Amino acid sequence: MSDQLPLVGREEELRTVLRVLAAHGAVLLSGPPGVGKTRLACEVLAAVPHPVVRWYATVATSRIPRGAIASLVPTGLPASQGSILPSSSVRAAAEHLSRGRRRVLSVDDAHLLDDASLLVLQHLVRHRLMRVMCTAQPGWGLEGLTVVPVDALDRERADTVLTTALGGPADVSTRHLVWATSQGNPLYLKELVAAGRHRGALTETEAGWSWSGPLELPGRLAELVDLTLGRLTDPQRRALELLAYGEPLESELMTVPQDLVDRGFVRVGDDGRARVAHPLYSARLRATCPTVRARAHRRALADRLEAEGASRPGDAVRVATWRLDSGTAESPDVLARAAEEALSAQDWELAERLSRAALACGATSRVGLVLGLVLMYQRRCAQAEEVLAGAMSADGDMLTLIQVGCTRAYNLFFGLGDEDAAVAVLDLVTARKLPAELEHAVLFFALTFALEAAPVGFARLGGELLLAEGGWAATAGRQVLAVTDQCAGRYTDAIARIEDNHMAVLATADRFPSLMNEANRVRNESMLRCGDLVGAERRAARALAEVVEEDRWSVTQVPPRVLLSQSARLRGKAASAVRITAEGVPDSDTPPMMWDVLLLAELAAGAALQGQSDRAFRALARAEAGLLPAWRSARFAVGSARSWVLAGAGRVNEAMQAALDNAASAREHGVHSEEIGSLHDAARFGADTSPRLLELAKSRKDPLTTAYASHAQARALRDPAGLEEVAAAFAACGATLYAAEALAEASRLSRLHDRPRDADRLERQASALAETFDGAITPGLVVTSTLAALTPRQLEIARLAVAGLTSVAIAERLAIAKRTVDNHLHTTYAAVGVTGRGGLCALFGHGA
């Protein structure tokens, strides 16, 4: 790790300071500790072409008259009277320091200057005897100094500093953790990184640098925070401790001392609630607070909130947590209600803790539902099944038992892959006499399984049945139909149905949040597959950021990660695709859920595109080992990845067959979205799939499917002009990988047709696109550059050999010796990396 952090994003401050100094001015860099004031000052001084006089103010020198300047002024100056320096001595000291009149005074931590030194500084500034640059904490100032605020870094700049400090990128969760903890303070950031690496919490993985385990304040960082907190009086510290245990706090729960706000220890938000100014202050206050006092703080907070009524959303969680931590929790109902609220807020650790405490106090099956959900969300699916089975056998109201049963079936199907057991649980649920709305809810759950395990037409029939019922059932039915549209490759229909259903889904989001999640997934994926890469990327990036920042269920990261990786592959951004997926892949010791298989398949495809064949095969093997028969969408994803992995390893014929097999399986189930993608892959690897693709594209009309069909047709017709046209269509969608492949193929065909100028032009266009890639390698991209390396004679002989002429026939046609033909063929084989005529035919796109 670099000891010196980069000066990031301070260009404006640097220009301002240099401009003021050049005008013979005086500048104050003002900001909290650790934001880089001293570092910025060093950069300024390095750029100033004048000698520098440095004062160093410290806590120790602040108690000594002239302590900061004692070594710089003559010893014969009149002594100070207490803390006051005679005016003659002030003048003499200032004139001595400013001799030559072209010097710059640098004062670090000017807020710690002793009074006598401060008088000298005032004289220098007032009479403009020197250029002056000071650094100080907020609240300190001096007349005549131009204040330049130095604030903490924003998120983007903090990420840049983190990458430089580590010597490589960190994964998205680690970036968020470091940002949330440091709040853009460069010194805190550096110390976090140093401590994380020292303790082994920060390690370099295939996905980049990753933080594992709890975040602990290391010794050096704790010392820095203690130094700041040491300025508090005992009453101030106790008030800040109370806030640290309860933040954010409303004014009715705590009256915040104004001096804590003025001194920058507390900030009050627009919502009127108070927070400790920096998360590290809170962490350190809690870590150093005596146990008895900590319990008293929490008990006091719970008492105050209950006295206020505890009626706002989230209040139950706050009261229950404070009661639990203070040892005063007694009510199972309060704990149960709080566990549900924690689950709704997707605070998994707290929800598990509260639900287990509620169960220990004798709570009902409702808490079993919460705990089962939490365990499933944490990939502990076998434990979730045990808890949910117990909750289902306990007494409870009908609604709770229905919810427990549906959740259990969901966990059995998507977590454990046991379709029969999942259906059996739903049979148990429907054996009861249910109200209509609950019957519809159970049917909707059954259809989510049907969308995976049965032909798409079956799920569409179920969606129509729900739609006919009206009310909530109609909302769920439209959602099912949107999913079937997307599966069928009718992306514009799916998007339109999702948009029409949006307000109805939004109205039921509190009771059925999965509807909104699935609606977003269908919309985003349909946008990508119909060619709106920009819109799909924007929505997926926003969704992923929300999931990471709110620390939601890790599996909810899968849809946006898969989409962003797929889009990156379409753009030829292989390294980006691998990074996006690798960050979300679970440890190999964790039994994969269906979503994990989807992510592993996407990682395999991205690694293959990047040329990391071994890594691609490892990821594919994990995906295949975790794949269970019930998971159809995962099966198609694995099948698609298999063709990419085989192609990346140079096994193009096998890749083509794998893509054709996947397309046939998808067609059998009516999943034409997967059929379209696999048919296009098969075409890229040499098959003529244009008839079926043209048939599918005709009834769909979206730009990307149309481009796939046109690409397959132009390849089959060996039409350079058609390939150039389809390359433009791909580029308009943002699918620059396929655009480059089409141009490369057009260049190869033009060269074979003795049109070298066209071939060179197309090659340049393909190369220009390839320059925007980050490591993408496909069989279609390497062909043109390989052929361009051949001499005209080698290319001529190669063309004749591919056409089926023997060496003797080639020699006769070209009036050269057979030995010369054979020599040219052998050097050509070596140049293009094949072992004989069969490889040469494959390279030129002919059957051997």
Side-chain angles (χ1 to χ4, degrees):
M1 182 183 70
S2 172
D3 289 332
Q4 182 72 8
L5 289 175
L7 188 72
V8 174
R10 301 297 192 194
E11 295 80 6
E12 183 177 349
E13 293 96 329
L14 185 61
R15 286 193 296 269
T16 300
V17 175
L18 289 172
R19 185 170 61 250
V20 174
L21 287 179
H24 206 75
V27 180
L28 169 62
L29 301 180
S30 177
V35 294
K37 301 185 297 295
T38 301
R39 177 66 204 288
L40 178 58
C42 289
E43 292 289 330
V44 171
L45 295 174
V48 173
H50 304 299
V52 177
V53 178
R54 299 178 188 272
W55 295 6
Y56 296 99
T58 65
V59 174
T61 62
S62 66
R63 302 185 181 94
I64 304 171
R66 290 184 291 187
I69 63 174
S71 63
L72 301 173
V73 298
T75 57
L77 293 176
S80 60
Q81 301 170 6
S83 61
I84 305 300
L85 197 65
S87 58
S88 59
S89 295
V90 171
R91 191 165 49 251
E95 290 175 354
H96 177 80
L97 291 167
S98 62
R99 62 188 184 279
R101 299 283 176 146
R102 295 188 63 79
R103 307 173 83 187
V104 177
L105 174 63
S106 170
V107 185
D108 205 20
D109 289 334
H111 57 282
L112 296 177
L113 283 173
D114 61 279
D115 291 341
S117 299
L118 183 59
L119 287 171
V120 176
L121 178 62
Q122 280 182 317
H123 188 88
L124 290 168
V125 173
R126 184 180 301 120
H127 297 283
R128 300 172 63 89
L129 299 178
M130 300 178 73
R131 294 176 173 86
V132 175
M133 184 174 64
C134 301
T135 69
Q137 292 184 10
W140 185 89
L142 189 67
E143 185 179 354
L145 292 176
T146 299
V147 178
V148 177
V150 183
D151 299 319
L153 302 173
D154 60 23
R155 180 66 179 271
E156 183 178 354
R157 293 183 292 171
D159 285 348
T160 301
V161 173
L162 176 63
T163 299
T164 304
L166 289 170
D171 64 39
V172 64
S173 297
T174 299
R175 294 197 303 273
H176 173 67
L177 175 68
V178 172
W179 161 254
T181 306
S182 69
Q183 290 291 288
N185 185 300
L187 180 59
Y188 293 169
L189 188 154
K190 178 182 177 181
E191 293 299 331
L192 280 171
V193 170
R197 294 187 66 175
H198 178 71
R199 290 195 301 108
L202 259 179
T203 55
E204 193 169 16
T205 68
E206 289 185 332
W209 287 90
S210 180
W211 191 293
S212 59
L215 183 67
E216 299 175 1
L217 262 67
R220 168 64 179 158
L221 189 51
E223 290 174 7
L224 291 169
V225 176
D226 285 343
L227 189 64
T228 301
L229 296 177
R231 294 155 39 205
L232 297 167
T233 64
D234 189 61
Q236 288 173 331
R237 187 180 186 98
R238 287 174 181 261
L240 207 58
E241 283 174 354
L242 184 67
L243 183 56
Y245 281 110
E247 62 182 341
L249 285 180
E250 300 80 0
S251 59
E252 54 266 31
L253 296 183
M254 178 182 180
T255 302
V256 178
Q258 186 59 41
D259 57 345
L260 289 178
V261 178
D262 295 340
R263 295 176 62 184
F265 285 103
V266 174
R267 55 188 174 87
V268 180
D270 295 337
D271 56 2
R273 299 198 293 178
R275 295 166 175 81
V276 179
H278 199 285
L280 288 180
Y281 298 170
S282 296
R284 190 60 180 161
L285 287 164
R286 292 191 297 267
T288 57
C289 184
T291 302
V292 174
R293 198 158 80 208
R295 288 186 175 182
H297 285 321
R298 289 160 169 151
R299 186 169 58 252
L301 288 166
D303 290 343
R304 293 181 191 181
L305 185 53
E306 285 183 328
E308 292 291 331
S311 58
R312 290 163 299 202
D315 281 355
V317 172
R318 300 164 80 191
V319 169
T321 305
W322 291 331
R323 290 292 183 207
L324 206 57
D325 290 339
S326 64
T328 58
E330 297 177 353
S331 169
D333 291 337
V334 170
L335 290 169
R337 190 167 70 253
E340 291 186 60
E341 286 193 9
L343 177 67
S344 297
Q346 303 189 62
D347 188 337
W348 315 123
E349 284 190 21
L350 182 58
E352 180 177 359
R353 184 176 174 222
L354 291 169
S355 58
R356 289 193 183 279
L359 287 171
C361 291
T364 64
S365 60
R366 185 92 192 155
V367 179
L369 171 61
V370 173
L371 182 57
L373 281 165
V374 169
L375 292 170
M376 181 180 72
Y377 292 158
Q378 294 177 332
R379 291 190 173 93
R380 295 149 65 185
C381 299
Q383 295 179 48
E385 160 59 14
E386 183 179 346
V387 169
L388 291 167
M392 218 176 150
S393 62
D395 292 334
D397 62 88
M398 181 178 293
L399 175 60
T400 298
L401 293 178
I402 297 300
Q403 290 175 320
V404 171
C406 289
T407 302
R408 184 183 175 195
Y410 190 90
N411 179 64
L412 284 165
F413 190 95
F414 291 102
L416 299 174
D418 192 338
E419 180 183 356
D420 292 339
V423 172
V425 168
L426 289 184
D427 287 342
L428 282 175
V429 170
T430 54
R432 296 168 175 262
K433 178 71 174 175
L434 301 178
E437 186 179 44
L438 292 182
E439 278 190 350
H440 299 153
V442 174
L443 175 57
F444 175 70
F445 258 86
L447 289 175
T448 63
F449 304 156
L451 284 163
E452 284 292 327
V456 171
F458 181 86
R460 179 173 286 276
L461 177 61
E464 296 286 359
L465 290 173
L466 283 173
L467 184 62
E469 294 292 335
W472 177 86
T475 301
R478 283 190 290 270
Q479 177 90 348
V480 171
L481 293 174
V483 178
T484 62
D485 284 337
Q486 186 261 319
C487 288
R490 300 186 182 280
Y491 308 121
T492 54
D493 292 345
I495 293 170
R497 208 183 289 268
I498 290 293
E499 289 177 346
D500 291 344
N501 206 31
H502 177 70
M503 295 308 297
V505 169
L506 195 61
T508 63
D510 56 335
R511 290 184 299 156
F512 303 101
S514 61
L515 282 180
M516 181 61 73
N517 294 335
E518 183 66 0
N520 287 331
R521 184 198 66 78
V522 171
R523 181 200 290 260
N524 296 349
E525 187 169 331
S526 296
M527 290 171 69
L528 177 76
R529 294 198 178 211
C530 75
D532 183 5
L533 270 66
V534 173
E537 288 168 345
R538 185 183 300 116
R539 289 176 56 86
R542 185 167 60 245
L544 180 59
E546 289 174 358
V547 170
V548 171
E549 291 180 9
E550 296 178 16
D551 196 23
R552 297 185 196 169
W553 184 24
S554 59
V555 171
T556 60
Q557 297 182 19
V558 172
R561 284 192 185 279
V562 168
L563 187 143
L564 289 169
S565 177
Q566 289 174 342
S567 184
R569 284 196 288 124
L570 289 174
R571 295 186 183 280
K573 305 292 187 181
S576 298
V578 169
R579 176 183 54 76
I580 290 165
T581 49
E583 287 179 1
V585 169
D587 296 334
S588 57
D589 296 335
T590 303
M593 301 176 74
M594 189 194 78
W595 300 276
D596 300 324
V597 174
L598 290 170
L599 203 59
L600 283 164
E602 184 56 35
L603 173 60
L609 179 62
Q610 197 178 13
Q612 299 181 356
S613 189
D614 290 344
R615 185 179 186 183
F617 274 109
R618 289 198 305 271
L620 181 63
R622 281 188 65 189
E624 291 176 332
L627 182 62
L628 295 174
W631 301 339
R632 181 179 64 198
S633 59
R635 183 164 71 252
F636 293 144
V638 171
S640 176
R642 186 181 298 115
S643 65
W644 281 71
V645 172
L646 290 168
R651 295 155 60 178
V652 180
N653 286 336
E654 293 177 67
M656 177 184 70
Q657 189 57 54
L660 290 171
D661 292 343
N662 204 47
S665 179
R667 181 177 184 178
E668 180 182 348
H669 283 81
V671 187
H672 301 304
S673 57
E674 296 294 342
E675 181 190 7
I676 289 167
S678 289
L679 286 174
H680 180 241
D681 286 339
R684 292 169 55 228
F685 302 145
D688 181 7
T689 59
S690 57
R692 176 60 178 166
L693 276 173
L694 287 167
E695 177 187 348
L696 290 166
K698 184 177 180 180
S699 59
R700 284 161 176 80
K701 306 293 187 185
D702 65 83
L704 200 52
T705 300
T706 301
Y708 286 161
S710 300
H711 190 198
Q713 183 180 46
R715 281 185 58 96
L717 296 175
R718 305 173 63 76
D719 176 12
L723 286 165
E724 186 174 2
E725 184 177 334
V726 81
F730 279 133
C733 293
T736 45
L737 175 70
Y738 296 155
E741 285 187 348
L743 289 168
E745 175 74 358
S747 174
R748 181 180 69 79
L749 290 171
S750 296
R751 205 172 297 282
L752 288 174
H753 296 164
D754 284 328
R755 295 200 292 270
R757 290 185 178 178
D758 286 345
D760 290 342
R761 174 179 58 81
L762 293 165
E763 167 68 13
R764 285 193 298 272
Q765 292 177 15
S767 297
L769 288 178
E771 286 178 0
T772 67
F773 300 165
D774 58 0
I777 301 171
T778 71
L781 290 176
V782 301
V783 167
T784 300
S785 57
T786 299
L787 294 179
L790 300 179
T791 66
R793 177 62 92 182
Q794 287 173 329
L795 185 62
E796 183 179 30
I797 291 173
R799 278 203 304 268
L800 294 173
V802 166
L805 275 68
T806 64
S807 295
V808 172
I810 294 172
E812 291 177 353
R813 176 172 295 191
L814 300 179
I816 57 177
K818 174 181 175 297
R819 178 181 296 178
T820 302
V821 172
D822 289 335
N823 287 340
H824 276 301
L825 284 174
H826 285 300
T827 55
T828 298
Y829 298 156
V832 299
V834 299
T835 56
R837 288 187 180 227
L840 200 61
C841 288
L843 182 67
F844 276 74
H846 285 262

